Amino acid sequence: MRIDSTAAHDLAWQGQALCAQTGSEFFFPEPGSSVREAKLICEACDMRAACLSYALAHDERFGVWGGLSEKERERMRRDRR
């Protein structure tokens, strides 16, 4: 399978993101669980803006991306319209 250079560049930030060094359970918690830990990790991450941009561009519906929960990203999408 070949990945085009645009797609590879689009994901380059992931290797430097702090979430790559922690467990996914922080970023994809069970429904009703706290996302506080994920948001604290995101606050310290230099890749936060790239992560949020990726999540919005790819319509990620689950988990914490770029420091925002699903509901916060949905609110952001609505506000942009």
Side-chain angles (χ1 to χ4, degrees):
M1 182 168 106
R2 184 175 172 268
I3 299 174
D4 74 38
S5 61
T6 304
H9 177 71
D10 198 26
L11 300 175
W13 60 269
Q14 288 182 342
Q16 299 171 13
L18 291 178
C19 60
Q21 303 167 27
T22 61
S24 63
E25 67 274 3
F26 293 118
F27 301 93
F28 297 95
E30 294 294 320
S33 297
S34 174
V35 295
R36 191 178 122 253
E37 292 88 2
K39 288 183 170 198
L40 289 172
I41 294 168
C42 290
E43 279 183 34
C45 184
D46 293 337
M47 299 295 112
R48 182 177 178 181
C51 178
L52 180 58
S53 178
Y54 175 87
L56 293 172
H58 292 88
D59 201 26
E60 291 290 345
R61 298 287 175 148
F62 302 100
V64 174
W65 290 80
L68 298 181
S69 68
E70 297 106 345
K71 290 178 182 179
E72 291 166 328
R73 289 193 311 279
E74 181 57 33
R75 213 172 303 131
M76 181 182 272
R77 281 187 201 96
R78 268 196 317 263
D79 291 347
R80 286 181 170 184
R81 293 180 199 154

